[in-house]
Amino acid sequence: MAKLYFRYGAMNSGKSTSLIQVAHNYEERGQRVLVVKPGVDTKSPAVLSRISVAREVDLAVDEHTDLRAAVLAHPGVDCVLVDEAQFLTGRQVEQLFALAVTDGVPVIAYGLRSDFRTRGFPGSIRLMELAHSLEELKTICRCGRKAILNARTVGGRLTQDGDQVAIEDDGPVGYESMCGTCYLSTLGWPA
């Protein structure tokens, strides 16, 4: 039986780099991958890694796309790789689960677990509930400890205001991976 995998981590933990490497490994062995990316991520039409490697996206989707039907419209796919999976809807995650279980196509989804307010994204929450395998990809905080949170900065200052989704190219918005201690102390906790 094929499985649904969720590989998650804070920003800069190598999620996109890992996806690109997995795609390369499959293709090097003559197998066909389908790289999927939610269209809400407008940084680029490709999967971009912070270490300057990229991979074309085969299928850009919006919140209305039936992912199972869209993948099955591409016969001969050996594996589906999803970048920025936190932006999927819960229903789309269920469609990926069905694709793995019913159609025998492994799905590896990469994404953030939570937003800058420490709240789960709809896609990530459903992936945590349904994935056969959960794997945390790790990165470090400015203090050297393991980063688990994503802090949003505007004008260089940490904020908890704004929409859940704000792509870095939307203006003076930045993100930093942080451990819980640095995240809370930057917010002024304990107060």
Side-chain angles (χ1 to χ4, degrees), residues 3-186:
K3 294 181 180 179
L4 172 61
Y5 301 85
F6 183 36
R7 296 180 179 166
Y8 66 92
M11 295 192 71
N12 296 316
S13 61
K15 296 177 300 294
S16 296
T17 304
S18 178
L19 181 149
I20 294 166
Q21 181 66 50
V22 168
H24 171 78
N25 290 346
Y26 269 91
E27 291 168 341
E28 186 177 54
R29 288 161 182 80
Q31 295 187 342
R32 184 167 177 224
V33 298
L34 191 71
V35 176
V36 177
K37 181 177 165 183
V40 69
D41 179 4
T42 57
K43 289 182 295 196
S44 169
V47 174
L48 296 178
S49 168
R50 295 185 196 285
I51 63 168
S52 300
V53 293
R55 169 66 161 74
E56 281 188 44
V57 170
D58 302 304
L59 182 62
V61 301
D62 65 25
E63 68 274 11
H64 305 292
T65 304
D66 180 326
L67 278 176
R68 183 171 177 236
V71 170
L72 293 175
H74 295 83
V77 171
D78 295 297
C79 183
V80 174
L81 303 174
V82 183
D83 191 38
E84 304 292 356
Q86 71 272 7
F87 297 138
L88 298 175
T89 67
R91 181 72 181 137
Q92 287 172 321
V93 172
E94 293 162 5
Q95 293 161 357
L96 292 175
F97 180 75
L99 184 68
V101 172
T102 305
D103 303 301
V105 179
V107 177
I108 307 172
Y110 295 84
L112 300 173
R113 180 177 62 175
S114 60
D115 68 13
F116 68 102
R117 293 173 295 207
T118 71
R119 294 187 180 95
F121 287 95
S124 300
I125 292 168
R126 199 67 180 125
L127 280 160
M128 290 284 191
E129 295 168 338
L130 285 178
H132 295 91
S133 175
L134 301 172
E135 179 184 345
E136 182 182 21
L137 302 178
K138 296 170 183 69
T139 191
I140 59 169
C141 178
R142 59 173 90 152
C143 70
R145 288 186 286 245
K146 182 176 99 170
I148 60 168
L149 301 170
N150 306 295
R152 179 184 286 173
T153 58
V154 176
R157 300 193 59 147
L158 190 72
T159 184
Q160 288 198 306
D161 296 324
D163 294 332
Q164 186 176 48
V165 178
I167 304 301
E168 290 179 62
D169 295 341
D170 287 346
V173 174
Y175 291 95
E176 181 181 351
S177 304
M178 293 181 144
C179 70
T181 302
C182 289
Y183 181 87
L184 291 176
S185 67
T186 302

